[in-house]
Amino acid sequence: MRLKSPGALQTAVDTFTTLARELRESLDTSRPSLQQGPREAWLKWWARADTELRKLFADDELLVPLARTAAEIRALELVAPAYEGPSLSYIVRERDVWAERFEAASQRMGLLSNFVMRPGRIVVLDTSAFHEFDRFWRADWVTLAQAEPPYAPVAGLPIRLVVPLVVVEELDAQKIHPNGKVRQAARDILKHLRALERVSADPVANVLRLGDRVTVR
């Protein structure tokens, strides 16, 4: 899931939590109001969820499967007033699946929000950043991170180099690159990443020490 605004992490946490709760409440089989139309209750919830997710996310990782479920529920045959049988069972099952999925997403976003909000200047490295400096472990990251005027006020704060997993995977693939220089550089980079001292680990990232003020996550 890719947020439209990186600063919307807490909003995403709150949205997922709220939508999960509303789904469980709107399709609570112990409530008489459900008997007025479980399909309609689901579709009403889905319309709101779809709107809220589109505001937050730039991709359709959740939107497409959620819309597919909504289409399947819309096509169900439900006979009033009992609303019993396989169709209702399917709706209840999908309620639990999506409520749990949103609750899990809220938890993941919460962990990521805590990670981002820790003190320090975050610098996200792509694969080219490792190759740009002949020895990333010798680069003056403190100076580089504070070189541009907008970041000058962070002098003295820790520098948090963030390496996405996809970058590690790309470097690993480059170990068999046809260009010998690229191949050797990738091997050296990965070797030195593995050799860094691990400071700590949390659900989001391992924290490695690169210098007194610089960590790699």
Side-chain angles (χ1 to χ4, degrees), residues 78-94:
L78 291 167
V79 181
Y83 294 118
E84 297 175 347
S87 293
L88 179 58
S89 297
Y90 174 76
I91 291 177
V92 171
R93 183 171 66 250
E94 290 303 309

Side-chain angles (χ1 to χ4, degrees), residues 41-199:
W42 171 278
L43 294 176
K44 181 179 179 180
W45 172 85
W46 165 73
R48 169 168 157 68
D50 184 77
T51 298
E52 294 302 317
L53 294 176
R54 288 182 187 278
K55 290 178 184 177
L56 282 169
F57 296 101
D59 57 38
D60 56 5
E61 181 179 337
L62 284 175
L63 291 169
V64 170
L66 186 57
R68 187 180 301 119
T69 299
E72 292 171 352
I73 289 176
R74 185 182 291 111
L76 292 175
E77 293 185 7
L78 291 167
V79 181
Y83 294 118
E84 297 175 347
S87 293
L88 179 58
S89 297
Y90 174 76
I91 291 177
V92 171
R93 183 171 66 250
E94 290 303 309
R95 173 203 65 190
D96 293 341
V97 167
W98 281 101
E100 290 171 7
R101 187 167 180 177
F102 277 30
E103 287 160 354
S106 176
Q107 184 178 25
R108 290 196 303 272
M109 289 287 179
L111 293 171
L112 187 57
S113 179
N114 292 337
F115 174 79
V116 171
M117 294 305 293
R118 291 171 189 161
R121 165 82 172 102
I122 293 179
V123 180
V124 181
L125 304 182
D126 61 9
T127 309
S128 63
F130 282 102
H131 288 288
E132 185 175 344
F133 301 99
D134 187 39
R135 302 286 188 274
F136 85 88
W137 54 94
R138 296 180 184 172
D140 186 355
W141 290 106
V142 172
T143 300
L144 290 168
Q146 299 171 173
E148 299 181 23
Y151 306 124
V154 303
L157 286 177
I159 306 301
R160 303 167 61 199
L161 305 181
V162 176
V163 185
L165 181 58
V166 66
V167 171
V168 177
E169 292 171 345
E170 289 174 356
L171 288 168
D172 191 59
Q174 288 179 352
K175 291 191 300 183
I176 56 172
H177 196 280
N179 184 310
K181 185 176 181 179
V182 173
R183 185 168 62 242
Q184 187 58 49
R187 291 174 177 174
D188 288 345
I189 291 166
L190 290 171
K191 176 183 176 181
H192 280 83
L193 276 175
R194 288 194 295 268
L196 293 177
E197 175 192 0
R198 178 179 293 184
V199 178

